[in-house]
Amino acid sequence: MDTEAKVKDALRTYDRNLVEYRALRDELEREIPLHLRQWGVSYFRVEARVKKRGSFETKARRDPSKPVLDTVGVRIMAFFRSDLAQVERMTRRLFDVVEESYIDKGDLLGHESFGYRSVQFVGLTRGQGAFSAFPAGIAVEVQIRTMLEHVWAEVEHDFRYKPQSDPPVPEINRRFALTAALLEQADRNLDDIRRELEGS
């Protein structure tokens, strides 16, 4: 099968399953908050999405031999960094995790570097449990980060990487790194404040 045929086949699969993808998106936004609260996580935001057809086609054309594994995605944003490990443990109970897809963006930064932090992996529906209404094997891209990490990532993506004739000057890069450092410290401060309040 040539490249164009593979892309068209992927698009037909997308179109055929779009209603199911949207239903799974809605179920992710309903079920995950329920499970987070059961696991003792109280402060968070959950956003799920289905990749738009144009974005799906663009990704499919990059490498037609590979399936697009982020057609459905969910982002879980905790208000406190200390909740992230619990969020990840809970999420792993809901999906079969494709371990080779696991990335901790923070590990890619040097000890003296500041920047984008997020845990990302692909989970597959199991056909039972929380998402039993859906067949096993539907891929869901999971992103786990703090709310402040999310704010930084969104701003950096929109401003730093938007199409432009010239790359960002070093001063802009330095300010982005400084902002990332300040937000990382703010995350730590919020954890410290919560611990002190809960311990009093």
Side-chain angles (χ1 to χ4, degrees):
M1 186 181 295
D2 63 22
T3 296
E4 193 61 30
K6 289 179 180 178
V7 172
K8 288 182 177 178
D9 186 58
L11 287 171
R12 281 194 293 270
T13 300
Y14 176 94
D15 292 336
R16 184 171 61 250
N17 295 323
L18 184 56
V19 171
E20 184 173 59
Y21 294 152
R22 288 173 173 167
L24 178 55
R25 172 200 62 196
D26 295 344
E27 193 67 9
L28 288 165
E29 290 190 340
R30 280 193 296 267
E31 283 290 328
I32 288 179
L34 296 176
H35 287 269
L36 285 171
R37 292 187 182 97
Q38 289 173 1
W39 280 65
V41 180
S42 301
Y43 302 98
F44 59 83
R45 182 173 298 169
V46 176
E47 296 178 355
R49 59 104 183 105
V50 175
K51 187 179 285 293
K52 294 181 180 179
R53 195 178 194 274
S55 297
F56 178 91
E57 181 176 358
T58 298
K59 189 156 189 179
R61 288 186 180 281
R62 287 180 195 159
D63 189 349
S65 65
K66 293 182 179 180
V68 177
L69 298 179
D70 64 343
T71 305
V72 180
V74 62
R75 183 177 293 137
I76 307 172
M77 296 157 285
F79 285 25
F80 296 98
R81 175 178 291 277
S82 54
D83 284 336
L84 293 180
Q86 186 76 333
V87 171
E88 183 177 339
R89 283 191 289 268
M90 182 282 300
T91 309
R92 284 176 170 275
R93 292 290 186 94
L94 300 181
F95 300 98
D96 289 326
V97 176
V98 181
E99 293 296 344
E100 56 267 29
S101 71
Y102 186 93
I103 300 174
D104 186 338
K105 296 287 188 178
D107 289 344
L108 303 180
L109 297 171
H111 293 302
E112 298 180 358
S113 300
F114 299 93
Y116 177 61
R117 293 176 179 272
S118 179
V119 167
Q120 299 178 200
F121 56 85
V122 173
L124 305 177
T125 54
R126 293 172 168 167
Q128 59 184 1
F131 306 109
S132 59
F134 301 91
I138 301 177
V140 177
E141 183 191 58
V142 179
Q143 296 182 358
I144 301 171
R145 59 178 70 152
T146 68
M147 283 294 298
L148 292 180
E149 288 169 346
H150 174 66
V151 169
W152 188 89
E154 291 292 293
V155 171
E156 186 198 38
H157 182 270
D158 287 348
F159 287 93
R160 192 176 189 180
Y161 297 109
K162 67 180 180 180
Q164 53 188 344
S165 56
D166 299 316
V169 297
E171 174 63 15
I172 295 297
N173 291 331
R174 191 182 74 83
R175 289 184 184 178
F176 270 119
L178 175 60
T179 303
L182 292 171
L183 291 176
E184 184 175 327
Q185 184 59 54
D187 265 334
R188 294 176 185 273
N189 291 347
L190 287 173
D191 271 339
D192 291 342
I193 291 168
R194 182 169 73 163
R195 277 193 294 270
E196 289 182 21
L197 291 175
E198 290 178 346
S200 60

